[in-house]
Amino acid sequence: MSLLDHAQLDAMAAGQPGLLLPIVHDFASQGRNQLATLEATFADNQIEESRGILHQLKGSAGTMGMAQFADMCRECEEQLAINLHPHRLPELAPLLQESIDHAIAYLEGSE
């Protein structure tokens, strides 16, 4: 699976990628905060709260065209739903950052 869904990014930008950049930056900040909260809720065995955070991240990332990150969130959410430990949780933060960096580069025309 590709890191980004360029068609989704293009659709969100609606021909004005500069207008989407602040939204991507906002998602970056909120996403990092949500991942910190996820880490805490998971450590406290708050499974439903953890699933809710993953669900929100998955949806937002999908809307932003961050396909690989959204897919990994989905995978972790599904594992929690069947009482499995989502071993890929530590991969989420670096993948979020990589996705954001590439989305910004794409919207700025340098990817």
Side-chain angles (χ1 to χ4, degrees), residues 37-53 79-86 89:
T37 302
L38 173 63
E39 186 177 314
T41 60
F42 186 71
D44 288 341
N45 204 32
Q46 297 175 12
I47 301 305
E48 285 307 310
E49 291 84 352
S50 298
R51 284 183 58 208
I53 293 166
Q79 288 172 339
L80 283 175
I82 58 172
N83 295 317
L84 291 178
H85 182 281
L89 277 179

Side-chain angles (χ1 to χ4, degrees), residues 23-100:
I23 297 169
V24 172
H25 285 287
D26 186 52
F27 175 68
S29 175
Q30 289 182 11
R32 285 189 284 270
N33 290 340
Q34 285 180 295
L35 286 176
T37 302
L38 173 63
E39 186 177 314
T41 60
F42 186 71
D44 288 341
N45 204 32
Q46 297 175 12
I47 301 305
E48 285 307 310
E49 291 84 352
S50 298
R51 284 183 58 208
I53 293 166
L54 286 163
H55 186 78
Q56 288 175 349
L57 283 168
K58 174 187 71 180
S60 298
T63 299
M64 300 296 300
M66 298 177 189
Q68 203 172 62
F69 181 76
D71 190 56
M72 190 178 295
C73 288
R74 179 198 50 77
E75 179 183 320
C76 291
E77 181 185 7
E78 288 174 355
Q79 288 172 339
L80 283 175
I82 58 172
N83 295 317
L84 291 178
H85 182 281
H87 294 287
R88 298 188 79 187
L89 277 179
E91 297 175 44
L92 287 174
L95 183 57
L96 174 64
Q97 189 60 54
E98 181 182 10
S99 299
I100 290 163

